[in-house]
Every structure is written in structure tokens, then in C-alpha cells.
Amino acid sequence: MTAIDLLVPVLAVVIIVGGLVVQRTWERRRAAALAAARKIQKPNQAEATRIVWNDVYGCTDEPPVVHFADGETAFSSLRGNAVAGEANPEEIALAWPAGATWSSSAFAHELNHVRLLRSGGAWQEAHEDPSWAPGGLVDRAVLALRVRGL
């Protein structure tokens, strides 16, 4: 048995344990971001959700729960940077500064993250999917909200 043969199992354990630590750190940051936000209903929320989730994105399943960080322009994300929204397959958190509208918020953006995650896609950190491109689904959703005065 060579030194490499002995080292491979040790490296595998280090990688697995390291991955668990990263996963737990992300879970803690996500919980903190959602704790800073509150689950409340905003005016026109049902209409905005229907427009984006059902009409533009074509989703027929239940939309995610929405949490709001009222009065905030951003909050700390899972990755520790300031963001206007955060998402997982079941819920989104949105910064909602004074004067925010559905089309000016990260609402359509975060719903697209959920749509992609639920369809089996990976987290789109770099926004590689065509739905993020100029004129793509996200832009069309924002435009649909604006046209309706939302």
C-alpha cells in the first residue's frame, strides 16, 4: 500500500466534513436572513404573484412564501454579501425599502430562482440560464408588473 492509498480515505473524510460545515454555515445565514424578514401580506401581493408566477413563468404549483424586510434596501445573504433578496425552493425574502413597488423590488428575480430550483436546476449564482438575459423571462415579468402599475 502506497502513501497515496492511505491518503485518499483521509482526504475523502476531510472533504465530506468540510462540505457539512459549509452546508451548516449556509443554513445559519439563510435562517438569519429570513429571521430579519417578516411573513406579511403586502397590497397587491396576490395579483403580483399571479402575474409573475403563473402568467409569465407559467408555474402551476404553489408559489413560495414571501418574507419582507420592511424599510431595508438590502440584508446579508447566505454568502454574507448585501442583497435585495434571497430564495430557496419554498420561500423568498425581499428587502422592501420605503416606496418600493413590486416591479422595483427583487420579487420577479427571486421567484425566478425558485422556479429554476424547483425544476431541478442548481442555484444560479452567476445567472447562466437564458431567463436572466436581457429581454428574458425576468425582464418580461418586471415589465408585466410595470404595465399593471405594480
Side-chain angles (χ1 to χ4, degrees):
M1 190 174 271
T2 68
I4 291 183
D5 292 328
L6 294 171
L7 191 58
V8 169
V10 172
L11 286 175
V13 168
V14 169
I15 290 168
I16 290 169
V17 170
L20 292 174
V21 169
V22 169
Q23 176 71 25
R24 288 195 184 115
T25 300
W26 278 49
E27 288 170 359
R28 276 189 233 112
R29 286 185 180 160
R30 177 177 109 21
L34 291 173
R38 298 180 308 136
K39 180 186 168 194
I40 56 174
Q41 286 289 114
K42 293 282 188 190
N44 304 311
Q45 184 171 342
E47 182 182 5
T49 301
R50 180 190 52 76
I51 290 167
V52 176
W53 190 249
N54 303 119
D55 299 350
V56 178
Y57 293 168
C59 298
T60 57
D61 55 334
E62 280 294 311
V65 173
V66 181
H67 302 269
F68 297 92
D70 279 328
E72 300 294 327
T73 56
F75 54 87
S76 182
S77 76
L78 298 177
R79 290 154 302 284
N81 56 323
V83 296
E86 189 69 66
N88 69 48
E90 301 305 320
E91 57 198 350
I92 65 174
L94 292 175
W96 198 265
T101 64
W102 293 102
S103 60
S104 70
S105 74
F107 182 65
H109 180 102
E110 297 307 327
L111 284 181
N112 195 49
H113 275 299
V114 172
R115 181 185 70 80
L116 292 169
L117 287 169
R118 286 187 182 179
S119 67
W123 178 256
Q124 291 274 315
E125 181 71 30
H127 304 103
E128 305 90 6
D129 189 81
S131 60
W132 303 108
L137 272 180
V138 176
D139 282 356
R140 292 197 306 259
V142 170
L143 180 60
L145 291 167
R146 282 189 190 135
V147 165
R148 289 173 179 90
L150 302 173

